[in-house]
PDB file of all heavy atoms in Angstrom:
ATOM      1  N   GLY A 587      -0.527   5.676   5.458  1.00 97.00           N
ATOM      2  CA  GLY A 587      -0.150   6.603   4.405  1.00 97.00           C
ATOM      3  C   GLY A 587      -1.130   6.575   3.245  1.00 97.00           C
ATOM      4  O   GLY A 587      -1.448   7.625   2.662  1.00 97.00           O
ATOM      5  N   ILE A 588      -1.623   5.393   2.891  1.00 97.00           N
ATOM      6  CA  ILE A 588      -2.599   5.276   1.798  1.00 97.00           C
ATOM      7  C   ILE A 588      -3.861   6.065   2.125  1.00 97.00           C
ATOM      8  O   ILE A 588      -4.416   6.771   1.269  1.00 97.00           O
ATOM      9  CB  ILE A 588      -2.916   3.793   1.541  1.00 97.00           C
ATOM     10  CG1 ILE A 588      -1.718   3.119   0.866  1.00 97.00           C
ATOM     11  CG2 ILE A 588      -4.173   3.640   0.696  1.00 97.00           C
ATOM     12  CD1 ILE A 588      -1.820   1.609   0.788  1.00 97.00           C
ATOM     13  N   GLU A 589      -4.308   5.956   3.342  1.00 96.00           N
ATOM     14  CA  GLU A 589      -5.502   6.699   3.753  1.00 96.00           C
ATOM     15  C   GLU A 589      -5.286   8.200   3.603  1.00 96.00           C
ATOM     16  O   GLU A 589      -6.159   8.926   3.095  1.00 96.00           O
ATOM     17  CB  GLU A 589      -5.837   6.353   5.206  1.00 96.00           C
ATOM     18  CG  GLU A 589      -7.084   7.052   5.732  1.00 96.00           C
ATOM     19  CD  GLU A 589      -7.385   6.681   7.174  1.00 96.00           C
ATOM     20  OE1 GLU A 589      -6.781   5.712   7.683  1.00 96.00           O
ATOM     21  OE2 GLU A 589      -8.216   7.366   7.795  1.00 96.00           O
ATOM     22  N   LEU A 590      -4.103   8.680   3.983  1.00 97.00           N
ATOM     23  CA  LEU A 590      -3.830  10.117   3.912  1.00 97.00           C
ATOM     24  C   LEU A 590      -3.621  10.572   2.469  1.00 97.00           C
ATOM     25  O   LEU A 590      -4.127  11.620   2.050  1.00 97.00           O
ATOM     26  CB  LEU A 590      -2.604  10.441   4.770  1.00 97.00           C
ATOM     27  CG  LEU A 590      -2.288  11.935   5.003  1.00 97.00           C
ATOM     28  CD1 LEU A 590      -3.525  12.701   5.439  1.00 97.00           C
ATOM     29  CD2 LEU A 590      -1.177  12.071   6.035  1.00 97.00           C
ATOM     30  N   PHE A 591      -2.875   9.807   1.669  1.00 96.00           N
ATOM     31  CA  PHE A 591      -2.659  10.179   0.269  1.00 96.00           C
ATOM     32  C   PHE A 591      -3.970  10.147  -0.519  1.00 96.00           C
ATOM     33  O   PHE A 591      -4.156  10.943  -1.448  1.00 96.00           O
ATOM     34  CB  PHE A 591      -1.639   9.239  -0.386  1.00 96.00           C
ATOM     35  CG  PHE A 591      -0.218   9.577  -0.089  1.00 96.00           C
ATOM     36  CD1 PHE A 591       0.639   8.634   0.463  1.00 96.00           C
ATOM     37  CD2 PHE A 591       0.283  10.841  -0.361  1.00 96.00           C
ATOM     38  CE1 PHE A 591       1.961   8.943   0.737  1.00 96.00           C
ATOM     39  CE2 PHE A 591       1.609  11.156  -0.091  1.00 96.00           C
ATOM     40  CZ  PHE A 591       2.449  10.202   0.467  1.00 96.00           C
ATOM     41  N   THR A 592      -4.876   9.252  -0.169  1.00 96.00           N
ATOM     42  CA  THR A 592      -6.176   9.216  -0.826  1.00 96.00           C
ATOM     43  C   THR A 592      -6.933  10.511  -0.559  1.00 96.00           C
ATOM     44  O   THR A 592      -7.539  11.099  -1.470  1.00 96.00           O
ATOM     45  CB  THR A 592      -6.994   8.013  -0.332  1.00 96.00           C
ATOM     46  OG1 THR A 592      -6.283   6.809  -0.627  1.00 96.00           O
ATOM     47  CG2 THR A 592      -8.359   7.973  -1.009  1.00 96.00           C
ATOM     48  N   ARG A 593      -6.881  10.975   0.667  1.00 96.00           N
ATOM     49  CA  ARG A 593      -7.563  12.219   1.016  1.00 96.00           C
ATOM     50  C   ARG A 593      -6.918  13.420   0.334  1.00 96.00           C
ATOM     51  O   ARG A 593      -7.600  14.356  -0.091  1.00 96.00           O
ATOM     52  CB  ARG A 593      -7.553  12.391   2.543  1.00 96.00           C
ATOM     53  CG  ARG A 593      -8.452  13.520   3.016  1.00 96.00           C
ATOM     54  CD  ARG A 593      -8.725  13.460   4.490  1.00 96.00           C
ATOM     55  NE  ARG A 593      -7.589  13.879   5.290  1.00 96.00           N
ATOM     56  CZ  ARG A 593      -6.919  13.083   6.107  1.00 96.00           C
ATOM     57  NH1 ARG A 593      -7.274  11.815   6.232  1.00 96.00           N
ATOM     58  NH2 ARG A 593      -5.894  13.528   6.806  1.00 96.00           N
ATOM     59  N   LEU A 594      -5.591  13.366   0.174  1.00 95.00           N
ATOM     60  CA  LEU A 594      -4.875  14.480  -0.448  1.00 95.00           C
ATOM     61  C   LEU A 594      -4.937  14.432  -1.975  1.00 95.00           C
ATOM     62  O   LEU A 594      -4.616  15.421  -2.632  1.00 95.00           O
ATOM     63  CB  LEU A 594      -3.412  14.466   0.003  1.00 95.00           C
ATOM     64  CG  LEU A 594      -3.164  14.747   1.485  1.00 95.00           C
ATOM     65  CD1 LEU A 594      -1.704  14.477   1.842  1.00 95.00           C
ATOM     66  CD2 LEU A 594      -3.531  16.191   1.827  1.00 95.00           C
ATOM     67  N   GLY A 595      -5.303  13.286  -2.533  1.00 94.00           N
ATOM     68  CA  GLY A 595      -5.420  13.175  -3.988  1.00 94.00           C
ATOM     69  C   GLY A 595      -4.105  13.007  -4.719  1.00 94.00           C
ATOM     70  O   GLY A 595      -4.006  13.339  -5.909  1.00 94.00           O
ATOM     71  N   ASP A 596      -3.081  12.462  -4.059  1.00 93.00           N
ATOM     72  CA  ASP A 596      -1.765  12.253  -4.684  1.00 93.00           C
ATOM     73  C   ASP A 596      -1.709  10.833  -5.248  1.00 93.00           C
ATOM     74  O   ASP A 596      -1.345   9.879  -4.557  1.00 93.00           O
ATOM     75  CB  ASP A 596      -0.662  12.464  -3.643  1.00 93.00           C
ATOM     76  CG  ASP A 596       0.743  12.349  -4.241  1.00 93.00           C
ATOM     77  OD1 ASP A 596       0.856  11.957  -5.422  1.00 93.00           O
ATOM     78  OD2 ASP A 596       1.720  12.629  -3.520  1.00 93.00           O
ATOM     79  N   VAL A 597      -2.057  10.690  -6.547  1.00 93.00           N
ATOM     80  CA  VAL A 597      -2.124   9.362  -7.164  1.00 93.00           C
ATOM     81  C   VAL A 597      -0.729   8.764  -7.310  1.00 93.00           C
ATOM     82  O   VAL A 597      -0.538   7.555  -7.149  1.00 93.00           O
ATOM     83  CB  VAL A 597      -2.829   9.438  -8.531  1.00 93.00           C
ATOM     84  CG1 VAL A 597      -2.851   8.064  -9.211  1.00 93.00           C
ATOM     85  CG2 VAL A 597      -4.243   9.955  -8.358  1.00 93.00           C
ATOM     86  N   ASN A 598       0.277   9.590  -7.641  1.00 91.00           N
ATOM     87  CA  ASN A 598       1.647   9.076  -7.801  1.00 91.00           C
ATOM     88  C   ASN A 598       2.103   8.338  -6.551  1.00 91.00           C
ATOM     89  O   ASN A 598       2.542   7.178  -6.600  1.00 91.00           O
ATOM     90  CB  ASN A 598       2.610  10.228  -8.096  1.00 91.00           C
ATOM     91  CG  ASN A 598       2.543  10.687  -9.532  1.00 91.00           C
ATOM     92  OD1 ASN A 598       2.128   9.940 -10.408  1.00 91.00           O
ATOM     93  ND2 ASN A 598       2.940  11.919  -9.782  1.00 91.00           N
ATOM     94  N   SER A 599       2.026   9.023  -5.429  1.00 93.00           N
ATOM     95  CA  SER A 599       2.471   8.417  -4.174  1.00 93.00           C
ATOM     96  C   SER A 599       1.551   7.276  -3.762  1.00 93.00           C
ATOM     97  O   SER A 599       2.007   6.273  -3.183  1.00 93.00           O
ATOM     98  CB  SER A 599       2.523   9.468  -3.067  1.00 93.00           C
ATOM     99  OG  SER A 599       3.455  10.488  -3.388  1.00 93.00           O
ATOM    100  N   LEU A 600       0.263   7.405  -4.073  1.00 95.00           N
ATOM    101  CA  LEU A 600      -0.702   6.382  -3.696  1.00 95.00           C
ATOM    102  C   LEU A 600      -0.382   5.049  -4.380  1.00 95.00           C
ATOM    103  O   LEU A 600      -0.408   3.990  -3.741  1.00 95.00           O
ATOM    104  CB  LEU A 600      -2.110   6.843  -4.073  1.00 95.00           C
ATOM    105  CG  LEU A 600      -3.280   5.971  -3.597  1.00 95.00           C
ATOM    106  CD1 LEU A 600      -3.286   5.860  -2.082  1.00 95.00           C
ATOM    107  CD2 LEU A 600      -4.602   6.567  -4.098  1.00 95.00           C
ATOM    108  N   VAL A 601      -0.061   5.086  -5.679  1.00 95.00           N
ATOM    109  CA  VAL A 601       0.264   3.854  -6.409  1.00 95.00           C
ATOM    110  C   VAL A 601       1.501   3.198  -5.808  1.00 95.00           C
ATOM    111  O   VAL A 601       1.532   1.980  -5.577  1.00 95.00           O
ATOM    112  CB  VAL A 601       0.479   4.158  -7.903  1.00 95.00           C
ATOM    113  CG1 VAL A 601       1.084   2.947  -8.617  1.00 95.00           C
ATOM    114  CG2 VAL A 601      -0.837   4.536  -8.558  1.00 95.00           C
ATOM    115  N   HIS A 602       2.530   4.003  -5.562  1.00 94.00           N
ATOM    116  CA  HIS A 602       3.764   3.452  -5.016  1.00 94.00           C
ATOM    117  C   HIS A 602       3.529   2.849  -3.638  1.00 94.00           C
ATOM    118  O   HIS A 602       3.993   1.741  -3.334  1.00 94.00           O
ATOM    119  CB  HIS A 602       4.827   4.546  -4.952  1.00 94.00           C
ATOM    120  CG  HIS A 602       6.195   4.022  -4.672  1.00 94.00           C
ATOM    121  ND1 HIS A 602       7.298   4.829  -4.532  1.00 94.00           N
ATOM    122  CD2 HIS A 602       6.652   2.766  -4.480  1.00 94.00           C
ATOM    123  CE1 HIS A 602       8.362   4.083  -4.287  1.00 94.00           C
ATOM    124  NE2 HIS A 602       8.002   2.831  -4.245  1.00 94.00           N
ATOM    125  N   LEU A 603       2.802   3.551  -2.810  1.00 96.00           N
ATOM    126  CA  LEU A 603       2.598   3.080  -1.447  1.00 96.00           C
ATOM    127  C   LEU A 603       1.663   1.871  -1.413  1.00 96.00           C
ATOM    128  O   LEU A 603       1.784   1.004  -0.536  1.00 96.00           O
ATOM    129  CB  LEU A 603       2.042   4.205  -0.581  1.00 96.00           C
ATOM    130  CG  LEU A 603       2.273   4.085   0.927  1.00 96.00           C
ATOM    131  CD1 LEU A 603       3.732   3.825   1.237  1.00 96.00           C
ATOM    132  CD2 LEU A 603       1.801   5.335   1.642  1.00 96.00           C
ATOM    133  N   GLN A 604       0.736   1.797  -2.389  1.00 96.00           N
ATOM    134  CA  GLN A 604      -0.134   0.629  -2.456  1.00 96.00           C
ATOM    135  C   GLN A 604       0.687  -0.628  -2.763  1.00 96.00           C
ATOM    136  O   GLN A 604       0.461  -1.692  -2.186  1.00 96.00           O
ATOM    137  CB  GLN A 604      -1.197   0.828  -3.533  1.00 96.00           C
ATOM    138  CG  GLN A 604      -2.317  -0.189  -3.494  1.00 96.00           C
ATOM    139  CD  GLN A 604      -3.208  -0.044  -2.264  1.00 96.00           C
ATOM    140  OE1 GLN A 604      -3.811   1.004  -2.044  1.00 96.00           O
ATOM    141  NE2 GLN A 604      -3.291  -1.089  -1.465  1.00 96.00           N
ATOM    142  N   PHE A 605       1.666  -0.488  -3.663  1.00 96.00           N
ATOM    143  CA  PHE A 605       2.575  -1.608  -3.909  1.00 96.00           C
ATOM    144  C   PHE A 605       3.409  -1.916  -2.668  1.00 96.00           C
ATOM    145  O   PHE A 605       3.600  -3.082  -2.303  1.00 96.00           O
ATOM    146  CB  PHE A 605       3.513  -1.301  -5.075  1.00 96.00           C
ATOM    147  CG  PHE A 605       4.783  -2.113  -5.047  1.00 96.00           C
ATOM    148  CD1 PHE A 605       4.761  -3.477  -5.301  1.00 96.00           C
ATOM    149  CD2 PHE A 605       6.000  -1.522  -4.706  1.00 96.00           C
ATOM    150  CE1 PHE A 605       5.920  -4.238  -5.232  1.00 96.00           C
ATOM    151  CE2 PHE A 605       7.165  -2.274  -4.637  1.00 96.00           C
ATOM    152  CZ  PHE A 605       7.125  -3.635  -4.906  1.00 96.00           C
ATOM    153  N   LEU A 606       3.917  -0.870  -2.009  1.00 96.00           N
ATOM    154  CA  LEU A 606       4.759  -1.085  -0.833  1.00 96.00           C
ATOM    155  C   LEU A 606       3.974  -1.775   0.277  1.00 96.00           C
ATOM    156  O   LEU A 606       4.529  -2.605   1.017  1.00 96.00           O
ATOM    157  CB  LEU A 606       5.316   0.258  -0.351  1.00 96.00           C
ATOM    158  CG  LEU A 606       6.433   0.211   0.691  1.00 96.00           C
ATOM    159  CD1 LEU A 606       7.600  -0.633   0.214  1.00 96.00           C
ATOM    160  CD2 LEU A 606       6.910   1.633   1.006  1.00 96.00           C
ATOM    161  N   LEU A 607       2.678  -1.474   0.376  1.00 97.00           N
ATOM    162  CA  LEU A 607       1.832  -2.174   1.353  1.00 97.00           C
ATOM    163  C   LEU A 607       1.789  -3.667   1.022  1.00 97.00           C
ATOM    164  O   LEU A 607       1.960  -4.526   1.905  1.00 97.00           O
ATOM    165  CB  LEU A 607       0.421  -1.592   1.341  1.00 97.00           C
ATOM    166  CG  LEU A 607      -0.634  -2.365   2.159  1.00 97.00           C
ATOM    167  CD1 LEU A 607      -0.261  -2.419   3.635  1.00 97.00           C
ATOM    168  CD2 LEU A 607      -2.018  -1.740   1.965  1.00 97.00           C
ATOM    169  N   GLY A 608       1.556  -3.985  -0.260  1.00 97.00           N
ATOM    170  CA  GLY A 608       1.526  -5.389  -0.650  1.00 97.00           C
ATOM    171  C   GLY A 608       2.845  -6.088  -0.377  1.00 97.00           C
ATOM    172  O   GLY A 608       2.873  -7.233   0.120  1.00 97.00           O
ATOM    173  N   LEU A 609       3.942  -5.413  -0.675  1.00 96.00           N
ATOM    174  CA  LEU A 609       5.259  -6.005  -0.453  1.00 96.00           C
ATOM    175  C   LEU A 609       5.489  -6.273   1.031  1.00 96.00           C
ATOM    176  O   LEU A 609       5.998  -7.337   1.417  1.00 96.00           O
ATOM    177  CB  LEU A 609       6.338  -5.076  -1.004  1.00 96.00           C
ATOM    178  CG  LEU A 609       7.779  -5.583  -0.902  1.00 96.00           C
ATOM    179  CD1 LEU A 609       7.969  -6.794  -1.809  1.00 96.00           C
ATOM    180  CD2 LEU A 609       8.770  -4.483  -1.284  1.00 96.00           C
ATOM    181  N   SER A 610       5.123  -5.322   1.873  1.00 96.00           N
ATOM    182  CA  SER A 610       5.300  -5.503   3.318  1.00 96.00           C
ATOM    183  C   SER A 610       4.489  -6.696   3.812  1.00 96.00           C
ATOM    184  O   SER A 610       4.977  -7.515   4.612  1.00 96.00           O
ATOM    185  CB  SER A 610       4.870  -4.236   4.063  1.00 96.00           C
ATOM    186  OG  SER A 610       5.618  -3.117   3.642  1.00 96.00           O
ATOM    187  N   LEU A 611       3.259  -6.804   3.326  1.00 97.00           N
ATOM    188  CA  LEU A 611       2.411  -7.918   3.742  1.00 97.00           C
ATOM    189  C   LEU A 611       2.961  -9.254   3.241  1.00 97.00           C
ATOM    190  O   LEU A 611       2.910 -10.277   3.943  1.00 97.00           O
ATOM    191  CB  LEU A 611       0.984  -7.702   3.234  1.00 97.00           C
ATOM    192  CG  LEU A 611       0.225  -6.537   3.887  1.00 97.00           C
ATOM    193  CD1 LEU A 611      -1.037  -6.213   3.089  1.00 97.00           C
ATOM    194  CD2 LEU A 611      -0.124  -6.857   5.342  1.00 97.00           C
ATOM    195  N   SER A 612       3.506  -9.250   2.008  1.00 95.00           N
ATOM    196  CA  SER A 612       4.125 -10.475   1.486  1.00 95.00           C
ATOM    197  C   SER A 612       5.319 -10.869   2.337  1.00 95.00           C
ATOM    198  O   SER A 612       5.490 -12.042   2.697  1.00 95.00           O
ATOM    199  CB  SER A 612       4.563 -10.270   0.030  1.00 95.00           C
ATOM    200  OG  SER A 612       3.463 -10.137  -0.827  1.00 95.00           O
ATOM    201  N   PHE A 613       6.158  -9.900   2.648  1.00 93.00           N
ATOM    202  CA  PHE A 613       7.330 -10.177   3.474  1.00 93.00           C
ATOM    203  C   PHE A 613       6.924 -10.698   4.855  1.00 93.00           C
ATOM    204  O   PHE A 613       7.636 -11.506   5.456  1.00 93.00           O
ATOM    205  CB  PHE A 613       8.167  -8.914   3.634  1.00 93.00           C
ATOM    206  CG  PHE A 613       9.011  -8.564   2.434  1.00 93.00           C
ATOM    207  CD1 PHE A 613       9.753  -7.394   2.408  1.00 93.00           C
ATOM    208  CD2 PHE A 613       9.067  -9.396   1.327  1.00 93.00           C
ATOM    209  CE1 PHE A 613      10.538  -7.065   1.319  1.00 93.00           C
ATOM    210  CE2 PHE A 613       9.835  -9.079   0.227  1.00 93.00           C
ATOM    211  CZ  PHE A 613      10.581  -7.907   0.217  1.00 93.00           C
ATOM    212  N   ALA A 614       5.768 -10.221   5.350  1.00 94.00           N
ATOM    213  CA  ALA A 614       5.294 -10.645   6.672  1.00 94.00           C
ATOM    214  C   ALA A 614       4.572 -11.989   6.619  1.00 94.00           C
ATOM    215  O   ALA A 614       4.128 -12.493   7.657  1.00 94.00           O
ATOM    216  CB  ALA A 614       4.375  -9.583   7.260  1.00 94.00           C
ATOM    217  N   GLY A 615       4.438 -12.568   5.422  1.00 93.00           N
ATOM    218  CA  GLY A 615       3.760 -13.849   5.290  1.00 93.00           C
ATOM    219  C   GLY A 615       2.249 -13.741   5.285  1.00 93.00           C
ATOM    220  O   GLY A 615       1.549 -14.762   5.355  1.00 93.00           O
ATOM    221  N   ARG A 616       1.696 -12.554   5.176  1.00 95.00           N
ATOM    222  CA  ARG A 616       0.239 -12.333   5.185  1.00 95.00           C
ATOM    223  C   ARG A 616      -0.231 -12.237   3.734  1.00 95.00           C
ATOM    224  O   ARG A 616      -0.617 -11.184   3.244  1.00 95.00           O
ATOM    225  CB  ARG A 616      -0.076 -11.074   5.983  1.00 95.00           C
ATOM    226  CG  ARG A 616       0.325 -11.186   7.445  1.00 95.00           C
ATOM    227  CD  ARG A 616       0.591  -9.852   8.131  1.00 95.00           C
ATOM    228  NE  ARG A 616      -0.562  -8.966   8.132  1.00 95.00           N
ATOM    229  CZ  ARG A 616      -0.548  -7.735   8.642  1.00 95.00           C
ATOM    230  NH1 ARG A 616       0.579  -7.256   9.195  1.00 95.00           N
ATOM    231  NH2 ARG A 616      -1.621  -6.981   8.595  1.00 95.00           N
ATOM    232  N   ARG A 617      -0.214 -13.370   3.052  1.00 93.00           N
ATOM    233  CA  ARG A 617      -0.341 -13.362   1.595  1.00 93.00           C
ATOM    234  C   ARG A 617      -1.756 -13.047   1.115  1.00 93.00           C
ATOM    235  O   ARG A 617      -1.931 -12.467   0.043  1.00 93.00           O
ATOM    236  CB  ARG A 617       0.161 -14.695   1.033  1.00 93.00           C
ATOM    237  CG  ARG A 617       1.654 -14.901   1.300  1.00 93.00           C
ATOM    238  CD  ARG A 617       2.266 -16.014   0.462  1.00 93.00           C
ATOM    239  NE  ARG A 617       3.700 -16.062   0.713  1.00 93.00           N
ATOM    240  CZ  ARG A 617       4.285 -16.881   1.578  1.00 93.00           C
ATOM    241  NH1 ARG A 617       3.545 -17.726   2.272  1.00 93.00           N
ATOM    242  NH2 ARG A 617       5.587 -16.865   1.765  1.00 93.00           N
ATOM    243  N   ASP A 618      -2.767 -13.418   1.838  1.00 94.00           N
ATOM    244  CA  ASP A 618      -4.132 -13.070   1.425  1.00 94.00           C
ATOM    245  C   ASP A 618      -4.330 -11.561   1.464  1.00 94.00           C
ATOM    246  O   ASP A 618      -4.923 -10.969   0.549  1.00 94.00           O
ATOM    247  CB  ASP A 618      -5.158 -13.763   2.327  1.00 94.00           C
ATOM    248  CG  ASP A 618      -5.209 -15.271   2.094  1.00 94.00           C
ATOM    249  OD1 ASP A 618      -4.749 -15.709   1.023  1.00 94.00           O
ATOM    250  OD2 ASP A 618      -5.691 -15.998   2.992  1.00 94.00           O
ATOM    251  N   GLU A 619      -3.835 -10.932   2.528  1.00 97.00           N
ATOM    252  CA  GLU A 619      -3.928  -9.470   2.615  1.00 97.00           C
ATOM    253  C   GLU A 619      -3.072  -8.815   1.535  1.00 97.00           C
ATOM    254  O   GLU A 619      -3.455  -7.787   0.958  1.00 97.00           O
ATOM    255  CB  GLU A 619      -3.470  -8.996   3.991  1.00 97.00           C
ATOM    256  CG  GLU A 619      -4.339  -9.463   5.143  1.00 97.00           C
ATOM    257  CD  GLU A 619      -3.731  -9.095   6.489  1.00 97.00           C
ATOM    258  OE1 GLU A 619      -3.824  -7.912   6.859  1.00 97.00           O
ATOM    259  OE2 GLU A 619      -3.136  -9.981   7.138  1.00 97.00           O
ATOM    260  N   ALA A 620      -1.909  -9.406   1.255  1.00 96.00           N
ATOM    261  CA  ALA A 620      -1.044  -8.859   0.213  1.00 96.00           C
ATOM    262  C   ALA A 620      -1.739  -8.903  -1.141  1.00 96.00           C
ATOM    263  O   ALA A 620      -1.676  -7.951  -1.924  1.00 96.00           O
ATOM    264  CB  ALA A 620       0.268  -9.645   0.158  1.00 96.00           C
ATOM    265  N   SER A 621      -2.433 -10.017  -1.430  1.00 95.00           N
ATOM    266  CA  SER A 621      -3.145 -10.141  -2.701  1.00 95.00           C
ATOM    267  C   SER A 621      -4.182  -9.036  -2.849  1.00 95.00           C
ATOM    268  O   SER A 621      -4.337  -8.451  -3.934  1.00 95.00           O
ATOM    269  CB  SER A 621      -3.813 -11.522  -2.783  1.00 95.00           C
ATOM    270  OG  SER A 621      -4.515 -11.667  -3.993  1.00 95.00           O
ATOM    271  N   ALA A 622      -4.888  -8.721  -1.780  1.00 96.00           N
ATOM    272  CA  ALA A 622      -5.879  -7.639  -1.821  1.00 96.00           C
ATOM    273  C   ALA A 622      -5.203  -6.295  -2.081  1.00 96.00           C
ATOM    274  O   ALA A 622      -5.730  -5.449  -2.826  1.00 96.00           O
ATOM    275  CB  ALA A 622      -6.660  -7.604  -0.507  1.00 96.00           C
ATOM    276  N   ALA A 623      -4.030  -6.089  -1.486  1.00 97.00           N
ATOM    277  CA  ALA A 623      -3.297  -4.832  -1.702  1.00 97.00           C
ATOM    278  C   ALA A 623      -2.846  -4.710  -3.153  1.00 97.00           C
ATOM    279  O   ALA A 623      -2.923  -3.625  -3.746  1.00 97.00           O
ATOM    280  CB  ALA A 623      -2.092  -4.772  -0.764  1.00 97.00           C
TER     281      ALA A 623
END
């Protein structure tokens, strides 16, 4: 979704989804990737 929202230029959704990516990675225990997100 981040890749698509970046292409579409929707910053509102991009910010929210960027956080949601980090949260998903944190929940999955992938903390280094979450930190990058």
Side-chain angles (χ1 to χ4, degrees):
I588 288 170
E589 181 180 347
L590 189 49
F591 279 125
T592 300
R593 190 165 75 245
L594 294 171
D596 184 352
V597 178
N598 282 337
S599 298
L600 187 59
V601 169
H602 192 182
L603 203 51
Q604 192 68 59
F605 157 70
L606 192 55
L607 171 61
L609 182 67
S610 301
L611 292 167
S612 292
F613 283 176
R616 297 155 60 182
R617 296 195 176 96
D618 290 341
E619 296 173 76
S621 180

